PDB file of all heavy atoms in Angstrom:
ATOM      1  N   MET M   1      11.404   8.065  12.857  1.00 97.00           N
ATOM      2  CA  MET M   1      10.670   7.381  11.805  1.00 97.00           C
ATOM      3  C   MET M   1      11.387   6.064  11.482  1.00 97.00           C
ATOM      4  O   MET M   1      12.596   5.985  11.541  1.00 97.00           O
ATOM      5  CB  MET M   1      10.586   8.217  10.551  1.00 97.00           C
ATOM      6  CG  MET M   1       9.890   9.573  10.739  1.00 97.00           C
ATOM      7  SD  MET M   1       8.148   9.403  11.171  1.00 97.00           S
ATOM      8  CE  MET M   1       7.499   8.647   9.687  1.00 97.00           C
ATOM      9  N   GLY M   2      10.587   5.054  11.194  1.00 98.00           N
ATOM     10  CA  GLY M   2      11.153   3.751  10.871  1.00 98.00           C
ATOM     11  C   GLY M   2      10.468   3.136   9.674  1.00 98.00           C
ATOM     12  O   GLY M   2       9.340   3.469   9.328  1.00 98.00           O
ATOM     13  N   TRP M   3      11.203   2.260   9.061  1.00 98.00           N
ATOM     14  CA  TRP M   3      10.669   1.371   8.006  1.00 98.00           C
ATOM     15  C   TRP M   3      10.738  -0.066   8.461  1.00 98.00           C
ATOM     16  O   TRP M   3      11.750  -0.515   8.965  1.00 98.00           O
ATOM     17  CB  TRP M   3      11.483   1.534   6.682  1.00 98.00           C
ATOM     18  CG  TRP M   3      11.235   2.791   5.960  1.00 98.00           C
ATOM     19  CD1 TRP M   3      11.990   3.940   5.985  1.00 98.00           C
ATOM     20  CD2 TRP M   3      10.153   3.078   5.059  1.00 98.00           C
ATOM     21  NE1 TRP M   3      11.469   4.894   5.153  1.00 98.00           N
ATOM     22  CE2 TRP M   3      10.319   4.400   4.576  1.00 98.00           C
ATOM     23  CE3 TRP M   3       9.062   2.325   4.600  1.00 98.00           C
ATOM     24  CZ2 TRP M   3       9.445   4.978   3.683  1.00 98.00           C
ATOM     25  CZ3 TRP M   3       8.193   2.923   3.703  1.00 98.00           C
ATOM     26  CH2 TRP M   3       8.389   4.238   3.235  1.00 98.00           C
ATOM     27  N   PHE M   4       9.636  -0.740   8.318  1.00 98.00           N
ATOM     28  CA  PHE M   4       9.536  -2.171   8.603  1.00 98.00           C
ATOM     29  C   PHE M   4       9.087  -2.903   7.354  1.00 98.00           C
ATOM     30  O   PHE M   4       8.504  -2.286   6.432  1.00 98.00           O
ATOM     31  CB  PHE M   4       8.590  -2.427   9.747  1.00 98.00           C
ATOM     32  CG  PHE M   4       9.077  -1.952  11.107  1.00 98.00           C
ATOM     33  CD1 PHE M   4       9.049  -0.617  11.417  1.00 98.00           C
ATOM     34  CD2 PHE M   4       9.531  -2.866  12.003  1.00 98.00           C
ATOM     35  CE1 PHE M   4       9.483  -0.191  12.669  1.00 98.00           C
ATOM     36  CE2 PHE M   4       9.985  -2.455  13.263  1.00 98.00           C
ATOM     37  CZ  PHE M   4       9.985  -1.129  13.586  1.00 98.00           C
ATOM     38  N   ARG M   5       9.240  -4.194   7.310  1.00 98.00           N
ATOM     39  CA  ARG M   5       8.748  -4.961   6.182  1.00 98.00           C
ATOM     40  C   ARG M   5       8.217  -6.305   6.666  1.00 98.00           C
ATOM     41  O   ARG M   5       8.630  -6.809   7.702  1.00 98.00           O
ATOM     42  CB  ARG M   5       9.826  -5.151   5.115  1.00 98.00           C
ATOM     43  CG  ARG M   5      10.985  -6.039   5.522  1.00 98.00           C
ATOM     44  CD  ARG M   5      12.040  -6.030   4.427  1.00 98.00           C
ATOM     45  NE  ARG M   5      13.164  -6.882   4.742  1.00 98.00           N
ATOM     46  CZ  ARG M   5      14.287  -6.952   4.023  1.00 98.00           C
ATOM     47  NH1 ARG M   5      14.439  -6.201   2.937  1.00 98.00           N
ATOM     48  NH2 ARG M   5      15.265  -7.773   4.380  1.00 98.00           N
ATOM     49  N   GLN M   6       7.313  -6.842   5.888  1.00 98.00           N
ATOM     50  CA  GLN M   6       6.749  -8.143   6.196  1.00 98.00           C
ATOM     51  C   GLN M   6       6.671  -8.953   4.912  1.00 98.00           C
ATOM     52  O   GLN M   6       5.933  -8.592   3.997  1.00 98.00           O
ATOM     53  CB  GLN M   6       5.362  -7.980   6.824  1.00 98.00           C
ATOM     54  CG  GLN M   6       4.814  -9.297   7.360  1.00 98.00           C
ATOM     55  CD  GLN M   6       3.635  -9.079   8.323  1.00 98.00           C
ATOM     56  OE1 GLN M   6       3.100  -7.977   8.408  1.00 98.00           O
ATOM     57  NE2 GLN M   6       3.286 -10.093   9.058  1.00 98.00           N
ATOM     58  N   ALA M   7       7.436 -10.016   4.872  1.00 96.00           N
ATOM     59  CA  ALA M   7       7.450 -10.920   3.751  1.00 96.00           C
ATOM     60  C   ALA M   7       6.415 -12.026   3.958  1.00 96.00           C
ATOM     61  O   ALA M   7       5.974 -12.278   5.100  1.00 96.00           O
ATOM     62  CB  ALA M   7       8.846 -11.530   3.561  1.00 96.00           C
ATOM     63  N   PRO M   8       6.023 -12.713   2.885  1.00 90.00           N
ATOM     64  CA  PRO M   8       5.030 -13.799   3.036  1.00 90.00           C
ATOM     65  C   PRO M   8       5.480 -14.837   4.046  1.00 90.00           C
ATOM     66  O   PRO M   8       6.615 -15.330   3.980  1.00 90.00           O
ATOM     67  CB  PRO M   8       4.947 -14.376   1.644  1.00 90.00           C
ATOM     68  CG  PRO M   8       5.324 -13.241   0.731  1.00 90.00           C
ATOM     69  CD  PRO M   8       6.359 -12.459   1.471  1.00 90.00           C
ATOM     70  N   GLY M   9       4.636 -15.136   4.989  1.00 92.00           N
ATOM     71  CA  GLY M   9       4.913 -16.168   5.979  1.00 92.00           C
ATOM     72  C   GLY M   9       5.859 -15.729   7.091  1.00 92.00           C
ATOM     73  O   GLY M   9       6.198 -16.561   7.910  1.00 92.00           O
ATOM     74  N   LYS M  10       6.195 -14.454   7.120  1.00 95.00           N
ATOM     75  CA  LYS M  10       7.122 -13.960   8.130  1.00 95.00           C
ATOM     76  C   LYS M  10       6.478 -12.830   8.948  1.00 95.00           C
ATOM     77  O   LYS M  10       5.501 -12.238   8.533  1.00 95.00           O
ATOM     78  CB  LYS M  10       8.408 -13.458   7.508  1.00 95.00           C
ATOM     79  CG  LYS M  10       9.204 -14.531   6.792  1.00 95.00           C
ATOM     80  CD  LYS M  10      10.522 -13.980   6.249  1.00 95.00           C
ATOM     81  CE  LYS M  10      11.324 -15.051   5.564  1.00 95.00           C
ATOM     82  NZ  LYS M  10      12.606 -14.476   4.994  1.00 95.00           N
ATOM     83  N   GLY M  11       7.051 -12.514  10.090  1.00 94.00           N
ATOM     84  CA  GLY M  11       6.589 -11.418  10.900  1.00 94.00           C
ATOM     85  C   GLY M  11       7.144 -10.100  10.419  1.00 94.00           C
ATOM     86  O   GLY M  11       7.965 -10.020   9.492  1.00 94.00           O
ATOM     87  N   ARG M  12       6.639  -9.058  11.010  1.00 96.00           N
ATOM     88  CA  ARG M  12       7.086  -7.704  10.649  1.00 96.00           C
ATOM     89  C   ARG M  12       8.473  -7.468  11.239  1.00 96.00           C
ATOM     90  O   ARG M  12       8.661  -7.569  12.465  1.00 96.00           O
ATOM     91  CB  ARG M  12       6.087  -6.678  11.159  1.00 96.00           C
ATOM     92  CG  ARG M  12       6.316  -5.296  10.593  1.00 96.00           C
ATOM     93  CD  ARG M  12       5.109  -4.392  10.881  1.00 96.00           C
ATOM     94  NE  ARG M  12       3.913  -4.872  10.231  1.00 96.00           N
ATOM     95  CZ  ARG M  12       2.760  -4.193  10.164  1.00 96.00           C
ATOM     96  NH1 ARG M  12       2.682  -2.979  10.711  1.00 96.00           N
ATOM     97  NH2 ARG M  12       1.710  -4.695   9.533  1.00 96.00           N
ATOM     98  N   GLU M  13       9.433  -7.097  10.398  1.00 97.00           N
ATOM     99  CA  GLU M  13      10.803  -6.923  10.849  1.00 97.00           C
ATOM    100  C   GLU M  13      11.296  -5.507  10.558  1.00 97.00           C
ATOM    101  O   GLU M  13      10.924  -4.859   9.616  1.00 97.00           O
ATOM    102  CB  GLU M  13      11.713  -7.932  10.193  1.00 97.00           C
ATOM    103  CG  GLU M  13      11.897  -7.772   8.710  1.00 97.00           C
ATOM    104  CD  GLU M  13      13.006  -8.634   8.125  1.00 97.00           C
ATOM    105  OE1 GLU M  13      13.827  -9.177   8.887  1.00 97.00           O
ATOM    106  OE2 GLU M  13      13.018  -8.829   6.871  1.00 97.00           O
ATOM    107  N   PHE M  14      12.186  -5.069  11.442  1.00 98.00           N
ATOM    108  CA  PHE M  14      12.787  -3.749  11.315  1.00 98.00           C
ATOM    109  C   PHE M  14      13.734  -3.714  10.107  1.00 98.00           C
ATOM    110  O   PHE M  14      14.487  -4.649   9.899  1.00 98.00           O
ATOM    111  CB  PHE M  14      13.543  -3.456  12.609  1.00 98.00           C
ATOM    112  CG  PHE M  14      14.352  -2.160  12.554  1.00 98.00           C
ATOM    113  CD1 PHE M  14      13.721  -0.943  12.709  1.00 98.00           C
ATOM    114  CD2 PHE M  14      15.723  -2.192  12.357  1.00 98.00           C
ATOM    115  CE1 PHE M  14      14.458   0.237  12.679  1.00 98.00           C
ATOM    116  CE2 PHE M  14      16.453  -1.027  12.329  1.00 98.00           C
ATOM    117  CZ  PHE M  14      15.822   0.198  12.489  1.00 98.00           C
ATOM    118  N   VAL M  15      13.660  -2.600   9.393  1.00 98.00           N
ATOM    119  CA  VAL M  15      14.532  -2.412   8.253  1.00 98.00           C
ATOM    120  C   VAL M  15      15.516  -1.255   8.509  1.00 98.00           C
ATOM    121  O   VAL M  15      16.718  -1.398   8.405  1.00 98.00           O
ATOM    122  CB  VAL M  15      13.758  -2.135   6.950  1.00 98.00           C
ATOM    123  CG1 VAL M  15      14.681  -1.822   5.781  1.00 98.00           C
ATOM    124  CG2 VAL M  15      12.858  -3.311   6.630  1.00 98.00           C
ATOM    125  N   ALA M  16      14.975  -0.083   8.837  1.00 98.00           N
ATOM    126  CA  ALA M  16      15.801   1.076   9.065  1.00 98.00           C
ATOM    127  C   ALA M  16      15.042   2.110   9.910  1.00 98.00           C
ATOM    128  O   ALA M  16      13.816   2.144   9.906  1.00 98.00           O
ATOM    129  CB  ALA M  16      16.207   1.740   7.721  1.00 98.00           C
ATOM    130  N   GLY M  17      15.792   2.924  10.633  1.00 98.00           N
ATOM    131  CA  GLY M  17      15.192   3.962  11.452  1.00 98.00           C
ATOM    132  C   GLY M  17      16.046   5.201  11.402  1.00 98.00           C
ATOM    133  O   GLY M  17      17.237   5.182  11.150  1.00 98.00           O
ATOM    134  N   ILE M  18      15.421   6.348  11.659  1.00 98.00           N
ATOM    135  CA  ILE M  18      16.102   7.639  11.664  1.00 98.00           C
ATOM    136  C   ILE M  18      15.580   8.481  12.798  1.00 98.00           C
ATOM    137  O   ILE M  18      14.367   8.492  13.078  1.00 98.00           O
ATOM    138  CB  ILE M  18      15.947   8.325  10.293  1.00 98.00           C
ATOM    139  CG1 ILE M  18      16.851   9.586  10.227  1.00 98.00           C
ATOM    140  CG2 ILE M  18      14.490   8.678   9.987  1.00 98.00           C
ATOM    141  CD1 ILE M  18      17.017  10.120   8.793  1.00 98.00           C
ATOM    142  N   SER M  19      16.496   9.179  13.482  1.00 96.00           N
ATOM    143  CA  SER M  19      16.137   9.992  14.628  1.00 96.00           C
ATOM    144  C   SER M  19      15.292  11.190  14.220  1.00 96.00           C
ATOM    145  O   SER M  19      15.177  11.553  13.047  1.00 96.00           O
ATOM    146  CB  SER M  19      17.386  10.446  15.361  1.00 96.00           C
ATOM    147  OG  SER M  19      18.146  11.311  14.564  1.00 96.00           O
ATOM    148  N   TRP M  20      14.695  11.822  15.235  1.00 92.00           N
ATOM    149  CA  TRP M  20      13.791  12.965  14.966  1.00 92.00           C
ATOM    150  C   TRP M  20      14.523  14.120  14.233  1.00 92.00           C
ATOM    151  O   TRP M  20      13.898  14.831  13.456  1.00 92.00           O
ATOM    152  CB  TRP M  20      13.150  13.457  16.252  1.00 92.00           C
ATOM    153  CG  TRP M  20      14.134  14.028  17.263  1.00 92.00           C
ATOM    154  CD1 TRP M  20      14.809  13.371  18.215  1.00 92.00           C
ATOM    155  CD2 TRP M  20      14.507  15.437  17.388  1.00 92.00           C
ATOM    156  NE1 TRP M  20      15.595  14.242  18.968  1.00 92.00           N
ATOM    157  CE2 TRP M  20      15.417  15.513  18.456  1.00 92.00           C
ATOM    158  CE3 TRP M  20      14.172  16.571  16.700  1.00 92.00           C
ATOM    159  CZ2 TRP M  20      15.996  16.688  18.857  1.00 92.00           C
ATOM    160  CZ3 TRP M  20      14.762  17.788  17.107  1.00 92.00           C
ATOM    161  CH2 TRP M  20      15.653  17.828  18.196  1.00 92.00           C
ATOM    162  N   ARG M  21      15.799  14.286  14.506  1.00 89.00           N
ATOM    163  CA  ARG M  21      16.564  15.371  13.898  1.00 89.00           C
ATOM    164  C   ARG M  21      17.263  14.894  12.610  1.00 89.00           C
ATOM    165  O   ARG M  21      17.808  15.707  11.868  1.00 89.00           O
ATOM    166  CB  ARG M  21      17.567  15.921  14.882  1.00 89.00           C
ATOM    167  CG  ARG M  21      18.191  17.243  14.474  1.00 89.00           C
ATOM    168  CD  ARG M  21      18.717  17.983  15.675  1.00 89.00           C
ATOM    169  NE  ARG M  21      19.704  17.224  16.413  1.00 89.00           N
ATOM    170  CZ  ARG M  21      20.219  17.575  17.588  1.00 89.00           C
ATOM    171  NH1 ARG M  21      19.817  18.724  18.157  1.00 89.00           N
ATOM    172  NH2 ARG M  21      21.132  16.814  18.195  1.00 89.00           N
ATOM    173  N   GLY M  22      17.262  13.616  12.373  1.00 91.00           N
ATOM    174  CA  GLY M  22      17.902  13.067  11.180  1.00 91.00           C
ATOM    175  C   GLY M  22      19.405  12.814  11.328  1.00 91.00           C
ATOM    176  O   GLY M  22      20.060  12.499  10.326  1.00 91.00           O
ATOM    177  N   ASP M  23      19.916  12.975  12.515  1.00 93.00           N
ATOM    178  CA  ASP M  23      21.365  12.821  12.745  1.00 93.00           C
ATOM    179  C   ASP M  23      21.768  11.465  13.243  1.00 93.00           C
ATOM    180  O   ASP M  23      22.944  11.239  13.519  1.00 93.00           O
ATOM    181  CB  ASP M  23      21.856  13.930  13.685  1.00 93.00           C
ATOM    182  CG  ASP M  23      21.182  13.885  15.011  1.00 93.00           C
ATOM    183  OD1 ASP M  23      20.158  13.215  15.182  1.00 93.00           O
ATOM    184  OD2 ASP M  23      21.664  14.584  15.953  1.00 93.00           O
ATOM    185  N   GLY M  24      20.815  10.568  13.382  1.00 96.00           N
ATOM    186  CA  GLY M  24      21.105   9.208  13.816  1.00 96.00           C
ATOM    187  C   GLY M  24      20.294   8.225  13.001  1.00 96.00           C
ATOM    188  O   GLY M  24      19.116   8.451  12.739  1.00 96.00           O
ATOM    189  N   THR M  25      20.925   7.122  12.586  1.00 98.00           N
ATOM    190  CA  THR M  25      20.257   6.112  11.804  1.00 98.00           C
ATOM    191  C   THR M  25      20.593   4.717  12.316  1.00 98.00           C
ATOM    192  O   THR M  25      21.613   4.550  13.000  1.00 98.00           O
ATOM    193  CB  THR M  25      20.591   6.186  10.320  1.00 98.00           C
ATOM    194  OG1 THR M  25      22.020   6.047  10.156  1.00 98.00           O
ATOM    195  CG2 THR M  25      20.169   7.508   9.711  1.00 98.00           C
ATOM    196  N   ASN M  26      19.744   3.783  12.003  1.00 98.00           N
ATOM    197  CA  ASN M  26      19.985   2.380  12.362  1.00 98.00           C
ATOM    198  C   ASN M  26      19.456   1.496  11.247  1.00 98.00           C
ATOM    199  O   ASN M  26      18.393   1.814  10.680  1.00 98.00           O
ATOM    200  CB  ASN M  26      19.299   2.083  13.689  1.00 98.00           C
ATOM    201  CG  ASN M  26      19.846   0.795  14.337  1.00 98.00           C
ATOM    202  OD1 ASN M  26      20.809   0.239  13.887  1.00 98.00           O
ATOM    203  ND2 ASN M  26      19.129   0.334  15.398  1.00 98.00           N
ATOM    204  N   TYR M  27      20.169   0.442  10.956  1.00 98.00           N
ATOM    205  CA  TYR M  27      19.805  -0.449   9.853  1.00 98.00           C
ATOM    206  C   TYR M  27      19.877  -1.908  10.317  1.00 98.00           C
ATOM    207  O   TYR M  27      20.745  -2.312  11.092  1.00 98.00           O
ATOM    208  CB  TYR M  27      20.749  -0.288   8.666  1.00 98.00           C
ATOM    209  CG  TYR M  27      20.689   1.079   8.045  1.00 98.00           C
ATOM    210  CD1 TYR M  27      21.578   2.086   8.418  1.00 98.00           C
ATOM    211  CD2 TYR M  27      19.774   1.367   7.025  1.00 98.00           C
ATOM    212  CE1 TYR M  27      21.522   3.339   7.842  1.00 98.00           C
ATOM    213  CE2 TYR M  27      19.737   2.636   6.439  1.00 98.00           C
ATOM    214  CZ  TYR M  27      20.609   3.589   6.872  1.00 98.00           C
ATOM    215  OH  TYR M  27      20.568   4.842   6.258  1.00 98.00           O
ATOM    216  N   ALA M  28      18.975  -2.708   9.753  1.00 98.00           N
ATOM    217  CA  ALA M  28      19.084  -4.162   9.919  1.00 98.00           C
ATOM    218  C   ALA M  28      20.321  -4.629   9.175  1.00 98.00           C
ATOM    219  O   ALA M  28      20.710  -4.093   8.129  1.00 98.00           O
ATOM    220  CB  ALA M  28      17.876  -4.832   9.379  1.00 98.00           C
ATOM    221  N   ASP M  29      20.979  -5.652   9.697  1.00 98.00           N
ATOM    222  CA  ASP M  29      22.177  -6.184   9.071  1.00 98.00           C
ATOM    223  C   ASP M  29      21.905  -6.636   7.637  1.00 98.00           C
ATOM    224  O   ASP M  29      22.773  -6.513   6.766  1.00 98.00           O
ATOM    225  CB  ASP M  29      22.714  -7.382   9.879  1.00 98.00           C
ATOM    226  CG  ASP M  29      23.342  -6.945  11.177  1.00 98.00           C
ATOM    227  OD1 ASP M  29      23.681  -5.764  11.334  1.00 98.00           O
ATOM    228  OD2 ASP M  29      23.523  -7.819  12.057  1.00 98.00           O
TER     229      ASP M  29
END
């Protein structure tokens, strides 16, 4: 599962993701 966001005038960007089991995550800087 992932979260993305889109601000006015910008493209859709990655925010955070989590693995299927929940034991791995990734975040935008």
